[in-house]
């Protein structure tokens, strides 16, 4: 019974990872699709490939934060993990259907917090980890905004005397590089969150013996699930990210992706589970604002920010409900 429950929860975790890739496909491909450098079909293939190989370039700091730094390992049970994953999945599906680029990362963290609080109260929460994650809600889009704004201003100054057609051709090529870097950052940060969930499950089922670590097969399974999810697309959100916030040229797309990638690389190195959605949205708004503030559709941006704010409490509330309903089946 234990092994069936364990592997069923591993499957649910990988389902979340798949949905994460599908939900966040827009983060990796929206700019390169909106600038027409790649067709949607080839853009998702490009992004999925770099999502998969991300584990070769990053450590597992984010996986350790999610697995043991949000909710105390001592209170983790199958029921807690099921409720956390369920809360995150439900919120992902709701926002995907609505076309809102909310954060899968913060949905998972909110689910963990909601399930942990329901089980054991405030003592279940590792506040340092939650605080670090909550800070990322503000810091990652702000950092992405500033970097993208600085990049687009610098590039505009450097190429001020160049012919527009030549600049366009150059940055259409460079967008392959920036999109690759952003997809690496996406795969490196986001897939690790599911790795942390599966690793803590294995640790709990091993009787909390042998220390917390992430096996290689978990790394490969999570990277594969995310890559397959990215391949499946997420076209409602691609439209919102790629064209409804602001219109992008190849040069602006390059600056947005590069600013976002630097932000993700930094966060992953520091072990902070940030939102790739927040990061690229901040970067896209940054390049739009560099042109003129009216170039950004602030009404759309405000709707996205509202989705960010309610993601953690909404996913947490669903997780708390699922924790209560699952008592008959899980311990």
């Amino acid at each position: 019974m234990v092994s069936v429950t364990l592997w069923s929860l591993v499957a649910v975790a990988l389902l979340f990872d798949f949905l994460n890739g599908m939900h966040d496909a827009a983060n990796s491909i929206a700019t390169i699709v909106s600038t027409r450098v790649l067709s949607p079909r080839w853009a998702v293939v490009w992004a999925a490939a770099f999502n998969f190989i991300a584990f070769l370039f990053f450590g597992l700091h984010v996986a350790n934060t999610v697995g043991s730094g949000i909710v105390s390992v001592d209170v983790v049970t199958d029921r807690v993990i099921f409720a956390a994953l369920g809360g995150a999945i439900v919120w992902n599906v709701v926002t995907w259907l609505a076309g809102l680029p909310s954060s899968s990362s913060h949905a998972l963290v909110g689910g963990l917090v909601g399930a942990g609080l329901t089980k054991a109260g405030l003592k279940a929460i590792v506040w340092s980890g939650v605080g670090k994650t909550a800070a990322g809600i503000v810091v990652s889009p702000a950092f992405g905004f500033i970097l993208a704004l600085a990049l687009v201003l610098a590039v505009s100054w450097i190429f001020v005397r160049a012919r527009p057609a030549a600049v366009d051709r150059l940055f259409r090529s460079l967008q392959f590089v920036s999109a690759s870097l952003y997809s690496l950052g996406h795969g490196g940060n986001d897939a690790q969150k599911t790795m942390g969930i599966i690793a803590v499950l294995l640790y709990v089922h091993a009787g909390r013996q042998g220390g917390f670590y992430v096996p290689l097969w978990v790394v490969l399974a999570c990277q594969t699930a995310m890559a397959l999810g990215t391949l499946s697309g997420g076209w409602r959100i691609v439209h919102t990210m790629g064209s409804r916030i602001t219109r992008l040229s190849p040069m602006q797309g390059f600056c947005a992706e590069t600013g976002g990638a630097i932000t993700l690389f930094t966060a992953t190195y520091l072990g902070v589970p940030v939102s790739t959605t927040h990061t690229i949205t901040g970067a896209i708004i940054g390049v739009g604002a560099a042109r003129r503030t009216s170039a950004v559709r602030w009404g759309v941006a405000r709707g996205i920010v509202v989705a960010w704010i309610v993601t953690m409490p909404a996913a947490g509330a669903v997780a708390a409900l699922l924790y209560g309903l699952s008592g008959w089946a899980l311990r």
Side-chain angles (χ1 to χ4, degrees), residues 66-150:
V66 173
S68 58
I70 302 297
V71 172
S72 173
V73 174
D74 294 335
V75 305
V76 172
T77 61
D78 292 342
R79 192 174 168 190
V80 167
I81 295 298
F82 169 78
L85 289 170
I89 288 171
V90 168
W91 186 247
N92 268 1
V93 171
V94 168
T95 52
W96 175 73
L97 290 173
L100 287 175
S102 66
S103 169
S104 299
S105 308
H106 293 138
L108 181 60
V109 171
L112 281 168
V113 171
L117 284 173
T118 305
K119 181 181 190 298
L122 294 175
K123 68 178 182 180
I125 309 303
V126 181
W127 293 107
S128 59
V130 173
K132 185 164 60 174
T133 303
I137 295 177
V138 177
V139 173
S140 65
F143 199 41
F145 176 94
I146 292 168
L147 282 174
L149 179 62

Side-chain angles (χ1 to χ4, degrees), residues 91-282:
W91 186 247
N92 268 1
V93 171
V94 168
T95 52
W96 175 73
L97 290 173
L100 287 175
S102 66
S103 169
S104 299
S105 308
H106 293 138
L108 181 60
V109 171
L112 281 168
V113 171
L117 284 173
T118 305
K119 181 181 190 298
L122 294 175
K123 68 178 182 180
I125 309 303
V126 181
W127 293 107
S128 59
V130 173
K132 185 164 60 174
T133 303
I137 295 177
V138 177
V139 173
S140 65
F143 199 41
F145 176 94
I146 292 168
L147 282 174
L149 179 62
L151 281 168
V152 79
L153 292 176
V155 168
S156 297
W157 181 79
I158 291 169
F159 291 95
V160 67
R161 297 185 183 278
R163 289 185 298 110
V167 174
D168 189 76
R169 282 196 301 272
L170 173 63
F171 282 97
R172 286 179 72 85
S173 298
L174 288 177
Q175 258 206 285
F176 285 98
V177 178
S178 60
S180 302
L181 292 175
Y182 195 83
S183 293
L184 274 177
H186 175 223
N189 199 281
D190 269 24
Q192 287 196 40
K193 294 148 193 171
T194 308
M195 294 177 201
I197 292 294
I198 296 176
V200 77
L201 266 175
L202 296 172
Y203 178 61
V204 168
H205 275 267
R208 296 179 171 83
Q209 302 297 317
F212 177 88
Y213 73 101
V214 184
L216 178 60
W217 72 264
V218 173
V219 174
L220 294 176
C222 290
Q223 298 288 174
T224 300
M226 172 154 287
L228 291 174
T230 300
L231 276 174
S232 72
W235 308 117
R236 290 181 175 88
I237 300 171
V238 169
H239 175 61
T240 299
M241 297 289 287
S243 61
R244 289 185 62 201
I245 296 175
T246 188
R247 295 290 179 181
L248 298 175
S249 68
M251 183 269 282
Q252 292 168 326
F254 169 83
C255 292
E257 289 163 345
T258 302
I262 294 171
T263 303
L264 292 181
F265 286 10
T266 303
T268 303
Y269 175 77
L270 295 174
V272 181
V274 299
S275 166
T276 55
T277 307
H278 295 191
T279 302
I280 197 62
T281 302

Side-chain angles (χ1 to χ4, degrees), residues 291-317:
R291 187 163 70 242
R292 62 183 187 279
T293 55
S294 61
V296 178
R297 295 183 175 93
W298 295 104
V300 176
R302 278 194 297 271
I304 293 170
V305 170
V306 170
W308 294 354
I309 293 170
V310 302
T311 287
M312 285 182 67

